[in-house]
Amino acid sequence: MSGIVASGELRPAGSRRVKDLIAVNFGNTLEWFDWAIYTIFAPYFALQFFPSSDKSAALLAALAVFAAGFLTRPLGGFLFGLYADRVGRKKSLTLAMFITAGGSLVIACAPTFATVGLAASIILLVARLAQGIAHGGEMGTSVTYLVERAPRHRRALYGSTSWMSVVLGTMIATITGLLLNANLDRPALESWGWRIPFALGGLLGLYGLYLRRRLTETDSFEKVKTQQSTPETGLGPLLRNWRGVAVVFGLSAGGSIMFYTWLIYSPTFAQISRGLDARSALTASLIAQAVFLVAIPIVGWLADRFGRRVFIILFGIGFIAATFQLDALITNSFSGLLTAMICALLILACLFGVNTAVWAEVFPTSVRATGVSGPLSLATAIFGGTAPYVNIYLSQIGEHRLFLVYLMVVSGITLITGLLIPETRTLELDRPDTGRLSN
């Protein structure tokens, strides 16, 4: 492998690093496109899979399947993390892409309840569970890969590109929703139009699979593989690194619930609970996501200069102070949703510009992928995947304020984590596995 010597380590050439960064994030974009289109099009396909004269009941069933996909994420995070720590980040990322693309193609071609009865609901559920397993390993392994491939003084910036790819995926999903709403009427969308984005995601996933097969393995993993014929993986190293596990879980709790509440579900919430039309909701979401896309790397760049903790603390304080005000801004107007989403996503960017770097920095190389993927997937399953369901359920029984209090409490978990952890910017990635958050 061609490279240059930097800080005593063999580094890949800059052009190769950029190509690998693009390849990882292209696949990550497609994975999140697949994930986002489910919530965007759930109001259209819910009655196709769940029989009910009540559209709200069918939508709740569809969102329950969305939440069920998160139940398998912790399992996927642990399995794919072990796989990445034992055989390599590249193979783990390639397998995750294959499963996600296959799941989307299955949903695109799935029969309806009117055709095969309950089997239609089961097919949808199985496809989402499989995608949940793959998605559980995707984020943690991609973050591990990106941070390990980054120059030491650019770890937060490189890690933050993972969230940029997430936002790009949701933006493309939103644009798809806008285009289909503009060109198809609701009966057509409910009948067959909802299948288009799932088919598109599956087909593009095959190209993402090709790109990931060409990735270069990270120097950090190759170094561990050279030093240990069989790297130590499993529960033992995780228990030894319990501090890192607690950090990842604490940061992921607030980040995941705010991500799924504000970035993924708020346009749908504005439609079904506040009476905003679909085109206005999706347009406001798209603009806010564009602002978020720019804010994330700016925070990452600043965090590489000034540290990670201050931005984690800003995130926690921001949402604890502003959650009720942000929710009150969402009405049946375009400007209300747009303002609420932009403000919320700017606060969220404070965390998302730094959390990927912190996740990787609190673990030694031999257990990093497992350490990041496992607790990240668990926190996301508990707080993120259930957020849309809890939101709509509490709104329907007239207790929406309880959901807002819930958001503030979970943000407090992340705030406490930021206050307690040491600054990780100066930690060596390839340090010995002592179980401590220090070099």
Side-chain angles (χ1 to χ4, degrees):
M1 178 178 64
S2 62
I4 57 174
V5 176
S7 302
E9 298 180 4
L10 184 64
R11 295 293 186 188
S15 61
R16 181 69 257 176
R17 182 188 286 126
V18 171
K19 289 179 180 178
D20 287 340
L21 183 148
I22 292 172
V24 169
N25 284 319
F26 180 85
N28 204 25
T29 296
L30 288 178
E31 294 229 12
W32 284 93
F33 169 83
D34 289 336
W35 210 250
I37 57 176
Y38 189 97
T39 58
I40 292 174
F41 288 93
Y44 301 108
F45 67 71
L47 290 175
Q48 299 289 332
F49 290 97
F50 303 99
S52 176
S53 58
D54 184 352
K55 287 189 175 182
S56 295
L59 178 60
L60 277 174
L63 291 178
V65 171
F66 178 78
F70 284 82
L71 296 179
T72 55
R73 287 184 64 146
L75 174 63
F78 186 72
L79 292 178
F80 274 86
L82 285 175
Y83 190 60
D85 282 331
R86 184 170 291 273
V87 305
R89 286 57 166 129
K90 173 184 174 179
K91 291 183 178 179
S92 180
L93 288 169
T94 302
L95 180 59
M97 187 78 264
F98 175 78
I99 296 174
T100 299
S104 288
L105 289 175
V106 168
I107 295 174
C109 301
T112 64
F113 189 92
T115 304
V116 297
L118 185 61
S121 306
I122 295 174
I123 290 171
L124 178 66
L125 177 61
V126 170
R128 292 299 296 178
L129 292 176
Q131 287 185 316
I133 290 175
H135 219 264
E138 163 69 23
M139 192 66 187
T141 306
S142 64
V143 164
T144 298
Y145 184 92
L146 290 169
V147 175
E148 287 183 350
R149 290 298 301 273
R152 177 171 177 167
H153 64 293
R154 290 287 182 265
R155 294 197 301 234
L157 178 60
Y158 271 61
S160 72
T161 64
S162 181
W163 288 118
M164 293 174 67
S165 67
V166 169
V167 178
L168 281 174
T170 59
M171 289 180 70
I172 295 171
T174 304
I175 292 171
T176 303
L178 280 169
L179 290 175
L180 290 176
N181 270 280
N183 292 280
L184 297 174
D185 57 21
R186 189 173 186 92
L189 284 170
E190 291 177 346
S191 176
W192 56 270
W194 62 268
R195 296 182 185 272
I196 296 174
F198 288 102
L200 178 63
L203 293 174
L204 289 177
L206 298 179
Y207 180 64
L209 186 63
Y210 164 77
L211 290 178
R212 288 196 167 178
R213 287 176 61 87
R214 298 168 60 87
L215 287 174
T216 304
E217 190 54 80
T218 70
D219 289 344
S220 293
F221 176 78
E222 293 289 1
K223 183 182 296 185
V224 169
K225 187 177 179 180
T226 300
Q227 295 171 347
Q228 300 174 265
S229 57
T230 304
E232 184 186 7
T233 59
L235 286 177
L238 278 184
L239 292 175
R240 183 165 59 247
N241 288 277
W242 64 267
R243 296 174 182 84
V245 171
V247 170
V248 175
F249 187 88
L251 297 187
S252 302
S256 63
I257 198 169
M258 290 304 180
F259 175 85
Y260 283 96
T261 296
W262 288 105
L263 189 73
I264 300 297
Y265 189 66
S266 59
T268 303
F269 174 77
Q271 295 174 61
I272 64 178
S273 296
R274 303 293 166 85
L276 185 61
D277 66 277
R279 293 185 186 180
S280 295
L282 292 175
T283 302
S285 176
L286 186 62
I287 296 171
Q289 289 173 50
V291 174
F292 190 41
L293 184 69
V294 175
I296 292 171
I298 292 175
V299 173
W301 179 79
L302 290 171
D304 280 325
R305 292 173 61 87
F306 304 110
R308 293 44 164 142
R309 293 181 67 242
V310 62
F311 293 101
I312 299 171
I313 294 169
L314 284 174
F315 164 88
I317 293 175
F319 274 120
I320 290 173
T323 291
F324 273 88
Q325 292 86 341
L326 291 172
D327 180 77
L329 288 172
I330 303 179
T331 62
N332 61 352
S333 72
F334 167 82
S335 60
L337 177 62
L338 177 63
T339 303
M341 286 193 69
I342 288 178
C343 292
L345 294 181
L346 286 176
I347 298 173
L348 187 60
C350 291
L351 180 64
F352 278 24
V354 305
N355 59 1
T356 51
V358 177
W359 292 340
E361 289 164 346
V362 295
F363 289 104
T365 302
S366 61
V367 74
R368 182 170 294 127
T370 311
V372 175
S373 297
L376 166 61
S377 299
L378 181 61
T380 302
I382 294 172
F383 300 106
T386 59
Y389 185 91
V390 173
N391 192 348
I392 191 172
Y393 173 75
L394 290 176
S395 296
Q396 288 183 348
I397 65 173
E399 297 292 347
H400 181 63
R401 289 175 63 88
L402 289 180
F403 181 73
L404 303 181
V405 173
Y406 175 50
L407 292 180
M408 295 167 64
V409 170
V410 179
S411 297
I413 295 174
T414 299
L415 174 61
I416 292 171
T417 303
L419 290 171
L420 294 179
I421 64 172
E423 178 56 58
T424 63
R425 179 168 61 103
T426 58
L427 292 180
E428 294 285 349
L429 285 183
D430 299 331
R431 64 186 183 275
D433 182 3
T434 64
R436 298 192 301 270
L437 300 184
S438 60
N439 288 320

